[in-house]
Coordinates of all heavy atoms in Angstrom, one line a residue:
M143 N -7.4 14.9 -14.1 CA -7.3 13.5 -13.6 C -6.5 13.6 -12.3 O -5.5 14.1 -12.3 CB -6.7 12.7 -14.6 CG -6.6 11.2 -14.2 SD -6.2 10.2 -15.6 CE -5.0 9.1 -14.9
A144 N -7.0 12.9 -11.3 CA -6.4 12.8 -10.0 C -5.2 11.8 -10.1 O -5.2 10.9 -10.9 CB -7.4 12.5 -8.9
H145 N -4.3 11.9 -9.2 CA -3.2 10.9 -9.1 C -3.1 10.4 -7.7 O -3.7 11.1 -6.7 CB -1.9 11.6 -9.5 CG -1.4 12.6 -8.5 ND1 -1.8 13.8 -8.5 CD2 -0.5 12.4 -7.5 CE1 -1.1 14.5 -7.6 NE2 -0.3 13.7 -6.9
L146 N -2.5 9.3 -7.4 CA -2.2 8.7 -6.1 C -0.9 9.0 -5.7 O 0.1 8.7 -6.5 CB -2.6 7.3 -6.2 CG -4.0 6.8 -6.4 CD1 -4.1 5.3 -6.5 CD2 -4.9 7.3 -5.3
S147 N -0.6 9.4 -4.5 CA 0.7 9.5 -4.0 C 1.1 8.1 -3.5 O 0.4 7.2 -3.3 CB 0.8 10.5 -2.9 OG 0.0 10.0 -1.7
F148 N 2.4 8.0 -3.2 CA 2.9 6.8 -2.6 C 2.2 6.5 -1.4 O 1.8 5.4 -1.2 CB 4.4 7.0 -2.3 CG 5.1 5.9 -1.6 CD1 5.6 4.8 -2.3 CD2 5.1 5.9 -0.2 CE1 6.2 3.8 -1.7 CE2 5.7 4.8 0.5 CZ 6.2 3.8 -0.2
A149 N 2.0 7.5 -0.5 CA 1.3 7.2 0.8 C -0.2 6.7 0.6 O -0.7 5.9 1.2 CB 1.3 8.5 1.6
D150 N -0.8 7.3 -0.5 CA -2.1 6.9 -0.9 C -2.2 5.4 -1.2 O -3.0 4.6 -0.7 CB -2.8 7.8 -2.0 CG -3.0 9.1 -1.7 OD1 -3.2 9.5 -0.5 OD2 -3.0 10.0 -2.7
M151 N -1.3 5.0 -2.1 CA -1.2 3.6 -2.5 C -0.9 2.7 -1.4 O -1.5 1.7 -1.2 CB -0.1 3.5 -3.7 CG -0.4 4.1 -4.9 SD 0.9 3.7 -6.1 CE 0.9 5.2 -7.0
L152 N 0.1 3.1 -0.5 CA 0.3 2.3 0.6 C -0.9 2.1 1.5 O -1.2 1.0 1.9 CB 1.5 2.9 1.4 CG 2.1 2.1 2.5 CD1 2.6 0.7 2.0 CD2 3.3 2.9 3.2
A153 N -1.5 3.2 1.8 CA -2.8 3.1 2.7 C -3.8 2.2 2.1 O -4.4 1.4 2.7 CB -3.3 4.5 2.9
L154 N -4.0 2.4 0.7 CA -5.0 1.6 0.1 C -4.7 0.1 0.1 O -5.6 -0.8 0.4 CB -5.2 2.0 -1.4 CG -6.0 3.2 -1.7 CD1 -5.7 3.8 -3.0 CD2 -7.6 3.0 -1.4
L155 N -3.4 -0.3 -0.1 CA -3.1 -1.7 -0.2 C -3.0 -2.3 1.2 O -3.3 -3.4 1.5 CB -1.7 -1.8 -0.9 CG -1.8 -1.6 -2.3 CD1 -0.4 -1.6 -2.9 CD2 -2.6 -2.7 -3.0
I156 N -2.6 -1.5 2.3 CA -2.7 -2.0 3.7 C -4.0 -2.2 4.1 O -4.4 -3.2 4.7 CB -1.8 -1.0 4.6 CG1 -0.4 -1.2 4.3 CG2 -2.2 -1.3 6.0 CD1 0.5 -0.4 5.2
E157 N -4.9 -1.2 3.9 CA -6.2 -1.3 4.4 C -7.1 -2.3 3.7 O -8.0 -2.9 4.3 CB -6.9 0.1 4.3 CG -6.3 1.1 5.3 CD -6.5 0.8 6.8 OE1 -7.5 0.4 7.2 OE2 -5.5 1.0 7.5
S158 N -6.9 -2.5 2.4 CA -7.7 -3.5 1.7 C -7.6 -4.8 2.1 O -8.4 -5.7 1.9 CB -7.5 -3.2 0.2 OG -6.2 -3.7 -0.2
G159 N -6.3 -5.2 2.5 CA -6.0 -6.5 2.7 C -6.0 -7.5 1.6 O -6.1 -8.7 1.8
G160 N -5.9 -6.9 0.4 CA -6.0 -7.7 -0.8 C -4.8 -8.5 -1.3 O -4.8 -9.1 -2.3
L161 N -3.7 -8.3 -0.6 CA -2.5 -9.0 -1.0 C -1.9 -9.8 0.0 O -2.1 -9.5 1.3 CB -1.4 -8.0 -1.4 CG -1.7 -7.2 -2.8 CD1 -0.6 -6.2 -2.9 CD2 -1.5 -8.2 -4.0
V162 N -1.1 -10.8 -0.3 CA -0.3 -11.6 0.7 C 1.2 -11.6 0.2 O 1.4 -11.2 -1.0 CB -0.8 -13.1 0.8 CG1 -2.2 -13.1 1.5 CG2 -0.8 -13.8 -0.5
Y163 N 2.1 -11.9 1.0 CA 3.5 -11.8 0.7 C 3.8 -12.5 -0.6 O 4.6 -12.0 -1.4 CB 4.4 -12.4 1.8 CG 4.7 -11.5 2.9 CD1 4.0 -11.7 4.2 CD2 5.6 -10.5 2.8 CE1 4.3 -10.8 5.2 CE2 5.8 -9.6 3.9 CZ 5.2 -9.8 5.1 OH 5.5 -8.9 6.1
E164 N 3.2 -13.6 -0.8 CA 3.5 -14.4 -2.0 C 3.1 -13.7 -3.3 O 3.7 -14.0 -4.4 CB 2.8 -15.8 -2.0 CG 3.3 -16.7 -0.9 CD 2.8 -16.4 0.4 OE1 1.8 -15.7 0.6 OE2 3.4 -16.8 1.4
E165 N 2.2 -12.7 -3.3 CA 1.8 -12.0 -4.4 C 2.6 -10.7 -4.7 O 2.4 -10.1 -5.8 CB 0.3 -11.6 -4.3 CG -0.6 -12.8 -4.2 CD -2.1 -12.4 -4.0 OE1 -2.3 -11.7 -2.9 OE2 -2.9 -12.8 -4.7
L166 N 3.5 -10.4 -3.8 CA 4.2 -9.1 -4.0 C 5.1 -9.2 -5.2 O 5.5 -8.1 -5.7 CB 5.0 -8.7 -2.7 CG 4.1 -8.4 -1.5 CD1 5.0 -8.1 -0.3 CD2 3.1 -7.4 -1.9
D167 N 5.5 -10.4 -5.7 CA 6.4 -10.4 -6.8 C 5.6 -10.5 -8.1 O 6.2 -10.4 -9.2 CB 7.2 -11.7 -6.8 CG 8.3 -11.7 -5.7 OD1 8.7 -10.6 -5.5 OD2 8.6 -12.8 -5.2
D168 N 4.3 -10.5 -8.1 CA 3.4 -10.5 -9.2 C 2.9 -9.1 -9.4 O 1.9 -8.7 -8.8 CB 2.3 -11.5 -9.0 CG 1.3 -11.7 -10.1 OD1 1.4 -10.8 -11.1 OD2 0.5 -12.7 -10.1
D169 N 3.6 -8.4 -10.5 CA 3.1 -7.0 -10.7 C 1.7 -6.9 -11.0 O 1.0 -5.9 -10.6 CB 4.0 -6.4 -11.8 CG 5.4 -6.2 -11.5 OD1 5.8 -6.6 -10.3 OD2 6.2 -5.7 -12.3
Q170 N 1.1 -7.8 -11.8 CA -0.3 -7.7 -12.2 C -1.2 -7.9 -11.0 O -2.2 -7.2 -10.9 CB -0.7 -8.7 -13.2 CG -2.1 -8.5 -13.9 CD -2.2 -7.1 -14.5 OE1 -1.4 -6.6 -15.3 NE2 -3.3 -6.4 -14.1
A171 N -0.9 -8.7 -10.1 CA -1.6 -9.0 -8.8 C -1.7 -7.6 -8.1 O -2.7 -7.3 -7.5 CB -1.1 -10.1 -8.0
V172 N -0.5 -7.0 -8.0 CA -0.4 -5.7 -7.2 C -1.3 -4.7 -7.9 O -2.0 -3.9 -7.2 CB 1.0 -5.3 -7.1 CG1 1.2 -3.9 -6.5 CG2 1.9 -6.3 -6.4
R173 N -1.2 -4.6 -9.2 CA -2.0 -3.6 -9.9 C -3.5 -3.9 -9.7 O -4.3 -3.0 -9.4 CB -1.7 -3.6 -11.4 CG -0.4 -3.0 -11.7 CD -0.3 -2.9 -13.3 NE 1.1 -2.7 -13.6 CZ 1.9 -3.8 -14.0 NH1 1.4 -5.0 -14.1 NH2 3.2 -3.5 -14.3
D174 N -3.9 -5.1 -9.8 CA -5.3 -5.5 -9.5 C -5.8 -5.2 -8.1 O -6.9 -4.8 -8.0 CB -5.5 -7.0 -9.9 CG -5.3 -7.4 -11.3 OD1 -5.4 -6.5 -12.2 OD2 -5.2 -8.5 -11.6
A175 N -4.9 -5.5 -7.2 CA -5.2 -5.2 -5.8 C -5.4 -3.7 -5.6 O -6.4 -3.3 -4.9 CB -4.2 -5.7 -4.9
L176 N -4.6 -2.9 -6.2 CA -4.8 -1.5 -6.0 C -6.1 -1.0 -6.7 O -6.8 -0.2 -6.1 CB -3.6 -0.7 -6.5 CG -3.7 0.8 -6.4 CD1 -3.6 1.2 -5.0 CD2 -2.4 1.4 -7.1
A177 N -6.3 -1.5 -7.9 CA -7.5 -1.1 -8.6 C -8.8 -1.5 -7.7 O -9.7 -0.7 -7.6 CB -7.6 -1.8 -10.0
F178 N -8.7 -2.7 -7.3 CA -9.9 -3.2 -6.4 C -10.1 -2.3 -5.2 O -11.2 -1.9 -4.8 CB -9.7 -4.6 -6.0 CG -10.9 -5.1 -5.1 CD1 -12.1 -5.4 -5.6 CD2 -10.7 -5.1 -3.7 CE1 -13.2 -5.8 -4.8 CE2 -11.7 -5.5 -2.9 CZ -13.0 -5.9 -3.4
A179 N -8.9 -1.9 -4.5 CA -9.0 -1.1 -3.3 C -9.5 0.2 -3.6 O -10.3 0.8 -2.8 CB -7.6 -1.0 -2.8
L180 N -9.2 0.8 -4.8 CA -9.7 2.1 -5.2 C -11.2 2.0 -5.3 O -11.9 3.0 -5.0 CB -9.1 2.5 -6.5 CG -7.8 3.3 -6.4 CD1 -7.1 3.4 -7.8 CD2 -8.0 4.7 -5.7
L181 N -11.7 1.0 -5.9 CA -13.2 0.9 -6.1 C -13.9 0.6 -4.8 O -15.1 1.0 -4.7 CB -13.5 -0.3 -7.1 CG -13.0 0.0 -8.5 CD1 -13.1 -1.3 -9.4 CD2 -13.8 1.1 -9.2
A182 N -13.2 -0.1 -3.9 CA -14.0 -0.5 -2.7 C -13.7 0.4 -1.5 O -14.4 0.1 -0.4 CB -13.4 -1.9 -2.4
T183 N -13.0 1.5 -1.7 CA -12.6 2.2 -0.5 C -13.1 3.7 -0.7 O -13.1 4.3 -1.7 CB -11.1 2.3 -0.3 OG1 -10.6 0.9 -0.3 CG2 -10.7 3.0 0.9
D184 N -13.6 4.2 0.5 CA -14.1 5.6 0.6 C -12.8 6.5 0.4 O -11.8 6.3 1.2 CB -14.7 5.8 1.9 CG -15.2 7.2 2.1 OD1 -15.2 8.0 1.1 OD2 -15.4 7.6 3.3
V185 N -12.8 7.4 -0.5 CA -11.7 8.2 -0.8 C -11.3 9.0 0.5 O -10.0 9.1 0.7 CB -12.0 9.2 -1.9 CG1 -10.9 10.3 -2.1 CG2 -12.3 8.5 -3.2
V186 N -12.1 9.5 1.2 CA -11.8 10.3 2.5 C -11.0 9.4 3.4 O -10.0 9.8 4.0 CB -13.0 10.8 3.2 CG1 -12.7 11.5 4.5 CG2 -13.7 11.9 2.2
M187 N -11.4 8.1 3.5 CA -10.8 7.2 4.4 C -9.3 7.0 4.1 O -8.4 7.1 4.9 CB -11.4 5.8 4.3 CG -10.9 4.8 5.3 SD -9.3 4.0 5.0 CE -9.4 3.3 3.4
F188 N -9.0 6.8 2.8 CA -7.6 6.5 2.4 C -6.7 7.7 2.5 O -5.6 7.7 2.9 CB -7.4 5.7 1.2 CG -7.5 6.5 -0.1 CD1 -6.3 7.2 -0.6 CD2 -8.5 6.3 -0.9 CE1 -6.4 7.9 -1.8 CE2 -8.5 6.9 -2.2 CZ -7.5 7.7 -2.6
E189 N -7.4 8.9 2.3 CA -6.5 10.2 2.5 C -6.2 10.3 4.0 O -5.1 10.8 4.3 CB -7.3 11.4 1.9 CG -7.4 11.3 0.5 CD -8.2 12.6 -0.1 OE1 -9.0 13.1 0.6 OE2 -8.1 12.8 -1.3
D190 N -7.1 10.0 4.8 CA -6.8 10.1 6.3 C -5.8 9.1 6.7 O -5.0 9.4 7.6 CB -8.2 9.9 7.1 CG -9.1 11.0 7.0 OD1 -8.7 12.1 6.5 OD2 -10.3 10.8 7.3
K191 N -5.8 7.9 6.1 CA -4.9 6.9 6.5 C -3.5 7.0 6.0 O -2.6 6.5 6.5 CB -5.4 5.5 6.0 CG -6.7 5.1 6.7 CD -6.5 4.6 8.0 CE -7.8 4.0 8.6 NZ -7.7 3.4 9.9
A192 N -3.3 7.8 4.9 CA -2.1 7.9 4.3 C -1.0 8.5 5.2 O 0.1 7.9 5.3 CB -2.2 8.9 3.0
A193 N -1.3 9.4 6.0 CA -0.2 10.0 6.9 C 0.0 8.9 8.0 O 1.2 8.7 8.5 CB -0.7 11.2 7.6
A194 N -1.0 8.2 8.4 CA -0.8 7.1 9.5 C 0.1 6.0 9.0 O 1.0 5.6 9.7 CB -2.1 6.6 10.0
V195 N -0.1 5.6 7.8 CA 0.8 4.5 7.3 C 2.2 4.8 7.1 O 3.1 4.0 7.2 CB 0.2 3.8 6.0 CG1 -1.2 3.2 6.2 CG2 0.2 4.7 4.8
L196 N 2.5 6.1 6.8 CA 3.8 6.5 6.7 C 4.5 6.4 8.1 O 5.7 6.1 8.1 CB 4.0 7.9 6.2 CG 3.6 8.1 4.7 CD1 3.7 9.6 4.2 CD2 4.4 7.2 3.8
T197 N 3.9 6.7 9.1 CA 4.5 6.5 10.4 C 4.8 5.1 10.7 O 5.8 4.8 11.3 CB 3.6 7.1 11.6 OG1 2.4 6.4 11.7 CG2 3.3 8.5 11.4
V198 N 3.9 4.2 10.2 CA 4.1 2.7 10.4 C 5.4 2.4 9.5 O 6.3 1.7 10.0 CB 3.0 1.9 10.0 CG1 3.3 0.5 9.9 CG2 1.8 2.1 10.9
L199 N 5.5 2.8 8.4 CA 6.6 2.7 7.4 C 7.9 3.0 8.1 O 8.9 2.3 7.9 CB 6.4 3.4 6.2 CG 7.4 3.2 5.1 CD1 7.5 1.7 4.6 CD2 7.2 4.1 3.9
H200 N 7.9 4.0 8.9 CA 9.1 4.5 9.6 C 9.3 3.9 10.9 O 10.2 4.3 11.7 CB 9.1 6.1 9.7 CG 9.1 6.7 8.4 ND1 10.2 6.7 7.5 CD2 8.2 7.4 7.7 CE1 10.0 7.4 6.5 NE2 8.7 7.8 6.5
G201 N 8.6 2.8 11.2 CA 9.0 2.0 12.4 C 8.1 2.1 13.6 O 8.3 1.5 14.6
R202 N 7.1 2.8 13.5 CA 6.1 3.0 14.6 C 4.9 2.1 14.4 O 4.0 2.3 13.6 CB 5.6 4.4 14.7 CG 6.8 5.4 15.0 CD 6.2 6.7 15.5 NE 7.3 7.6 15.8 CZ 7.5 8.7 15.2 NH1 6.8 9.2 14.2 NH2 8.7 9.5 15.5
G203 N 4.9 1.0 15.2 CA 3.8 0.1 15.1 C 4.3 -1.3 15.5 O 5.5 -1.5 15.8
E204 N 3.5 -2.3 15.4 CA 3.8 -3.7 15.7 C 4.8 -4.1 14.6 O 4.8 -3.7 13.5 CB 2.6 -4.5 15.7 CG 1.6 -4.2 16.8 CD 0.4 -5.2 16.8 OE1 0.5 -6.3 16.3 OE2 -0.6 -4.8 17.2
R205 N 5.8 -4.9 15.0 CA 6.8 -5.5 14.2 C 6.3 -6.1 12.9 O 6.9 -5.8 11.8 CB 7.7 -6.5 14.9 CG 8.9 -6.8 14.0 CD 10.0 -7.5 14.7 NE 9.4 -8.6 15.6 CZ 10.1 -9.5 16.3 NH1 11.4 -9.5 16.2 NH2 9.5 -10.3 17.1
D206 N 5.3 -6.9 13.0 CA 4.7 -7.5 11.7 C 4.1 -6.5 10.8 O 4.2 -6.7 9.6 CB 3.7 -8.6 12.1 CG 4.4 -9.9 12.7 OD1 5.6 -10.0 12.5 OD2 3.7 -10.6 13.3
T207 N 3.4 -5.5 11.4 CA 2.8 -4.4 10.6 C 3.9 -3.6 9.9 O 3.7 -3.2 8.7 CB 2.0 -3.5 11.5 OG1 1.0 -4.4 12.1 CG2 1.2 -2.5 10.6
V208 N 4.9 -3.3 10.6 CA 6.1 -2.5 10.0 C 6.7 -3.3 8.9 O 7.0 -2.7 7.8 CB 7.1 -2.1 11.1 CG1 8.3 -1.5 10.5 CG2 6.4 -1.1 12.1
K209 N 6.9 -4.6 9.1 CA 7.5 -5.5 8.2 C 6.7 -5.5 6.9 O 7.2 -5.4 5.8 CB 7.7 -6.9 8.8 CG 8.4 -7.8 7.8 CD 8.6 -9.2 8.5 CE 9.0 -10.2 7.5 NZ 9.1 -11.5 8.1
W210 N 5.4 -5.6 7.1 CA 4.4 -5.7 5.9 C 4.4 -4.4 5.2 O 4.4 -4.2 3.9 CB 3.1 -6.1 6.4 CG 2.0 -6.1 5.4 CD1 0.8 -5.4 5.3 CD2 1.9 -6.9 4.2 NE1 0.2 -5.6 4.2 CE2 0.8 -6.6 3.5 CE3 2.8 -7.8 3.7 CZ2 0.4 -7.2 2.2 CZ3 2.5 -8.4 2.4 CH2 1.3 -8.1 1.7
A211 N 4.4 -3.2 5.9 CA 4.4 -1.9 5.3 C 5.7 -1.7 4.4 O 5.6 -1.2 3.3 CB 4.2 -0.8 6.4
R212 N 6.9 -2.1 5.0 CA 8.0 -2.0 4.2 C 8.1 -2.9 3.0 O 8.6 -2.5 1.9 CB 9.2 -2.3 5.2 CG 9.4 -1.2 6.1 CD 10.5 -1.3 7.2 NE 10.6 -0.2 8.0 CZ 11.4 -0.2 9.2 NH1 12.0 -1.3 9.5 NH2 11.4 0.9 9.9
A213 N 7.6 -4.1 3.1 CA 7.5 -4.9 1.9 C 6.6 -4.4 0.9 O 6.9 -4.3 -0.3 CB 7.0 -6.4 2.3
L214 N 5.4 -3.8 1.3 CA 4.6 -3.1 0.3 C 5.2 -1.9 -0.3 O 5.0 -1.7 -1.5 CB 3.2 -2.8 1.0 CG 2.2 -3.9 1.1 CD1 1.0 -3.4 1.9 CD2 1.7 -4.3 -0.3
A215 N 5.9 -1.2 0.5 CA 6.6 0.1 0.1 C 7.6 -0.3 -1.1 O 7.6 0.3 -2.1 CB 7.3 0.8 1.2
A216 N 8.3 -1.3 -0.9 CA 9.3 -1.7 -1.9 C 8.6 -2.2 -3.1 O 9.0 -1.9 -4.2 CB 10.2 -2.8 -1.4
T217 N 7.5 -2.9 -3.0 CA 6.7 -3.4 -4.1 C 6.1 -2.2 -4.9 O 6.1 -2.1 -6.1 CB 5.6 -4.3 -3.7 OG1 6.2 -5.5 -3.0 CG2 4.7 -4.8 -4.8
I218 N 5.5 -1.2 -4.2 CA 5.0 0.0 -4.8 C 6.0 0.7 -5.6 O 5.8 1.2 -6.7 CB 4.3 1.0 -3.8 CG1 3.1 0.3 -3.2 CG2 4.0 2.3 -4.4 CD1 2.5 1.0 -1.9
T219 N 7.2 0.8 -5.1 CA 8.3 1.5 -5.8 C 8.7 0.8 -7.0 O 8.8 1.3 -8.2 CB 9.6 1.7 -4.9 OG1 9.2 2.5 -3.7 CG2 10.7 2.3 -5.6
R220 N 8.7 -0.6 -7.0 CA 9.1 -1.4 -8.2 C 8.0 -1.3 -9.2 O 8.3 -1.1 -10.4 CB 9.3 -2.9 -7.7 CG 9.9 -3.7 -8.8 CD 9.9 -5.2 -8.5 NE 8.5 -5.7 -8.7 CZ 7.8 -6.2 -7.8 NH1 8.2 -6.2 -6.5 NH2 6.6 -6.6 -7.9
V221 N 6.8 -1.5 -8.8 CA 5.7 -1.7 -9.8 C 5.3 -0.4 -10.3 O 5.0 -0.2 -11.5 CB 4.4 -2.4 -9.1 CG1 3.2 -2.4 -10.0 CG2 4.8 -3.8 -8.7
F222 N 5.2 0.8 -9.5 CA 4.7 2.0 -10.0 C 5.6 3.1 -10.2 O 5.4 4.2 -10.7 CB 3.5 2.4 -9.0 CG 2.4 1.5 -8.9 CD1 2.3 0.7 -7.9 CD2 1.4 1.4 -10.0 CE1 1.2 -0.2 -7.7 CE2 0.4 0.5 -9.8 CZ 0.3 -0.4 -8.8
G223 N 6.9 2.8 -9.7 CA 8.0 3.8 -9.9 C 7.9 5.0 -9.0 O 8.4 6.1 -9.4
V224 N 7.2 4.9 -7.9 CA 7.1 6.0 -6.9 C 7.7 5.6 -5.6 O 7.7 4.4 -5.3 CB 5.7 6.5 -6.8 CG1 5.2 7.1 -8.0 CG2 4.8 5.4 -6.3
A225 N 8.2 6.6 -4.8 CA 8.7 6.2 -3.5 C 8.3 7.3 -2.5 O 7.8 8.4 -2.8 CB 10.3 6.2 -3.6
A226 N 8.5 6.9 -1.2 CA 8.1 7.8 -0.1 C 9.0 9.0 -0.1 O 10.1 9.0 -0.6 CB 8.2 7.1 1.2

């Protein structure tokens, strides 16, 4: 069985656009958004995006995008117990 890394989850959630700030406190909404993103996304795409989103997480990008990536990162750590 394959597993998702922190970067994979972050890439999937950023690229899918399936969440808004108000849903980040809802663990089930986060799980559902990730499940949907997995079903709707080409596996090769999110593997390619994983490295790119980590650079955004570390502050390279537009301020709003970096802020969103960091909020998602904290949510992923809380909900799934993994970190960058």
Side-chain angles (χ1 to χ4, degrees):
M143 183 167 135
H145 71 278
L146 294 173
S147 70
F148 174 87
D150 294 336
M151 289 184 217
L152 186 59
L154 282 163
L155 290 172
I156 285 176
E157 292 297 318
S158 72
L161 287 172
V162 294
Y163 278 105
E164 293 78 19
E165 294 174 309
L166 295 183
D167 290 331
D168 183 345
D169 291 3
Q170 190 58 50
V172 174
R173 286 187 204 96
D174 291 345
L176 183 61
F178 178 78
L180 274 169
L181 292 172
T183 306
D184 177 19
V185 173
V186 174
M187 183 286 306
F188 82 77
E189 288 176 345
D190 291 343
K191 297 283 185 177
V195 298
L196 287 180
T197 63
V198 172
L199 182 62
H200 295 293
R202 293 193 181 122
E204 294 180 26
R205 185 170 42 174
D206 288 343
T207 304
V208 171
K209 182 179 173 184
W210 178 239
R212 289 179 177 167
L214 276 175
T217 299
I218 289 167
T219 298
R220 187 191 79 246
V221 174
F222 299 105
V224 294

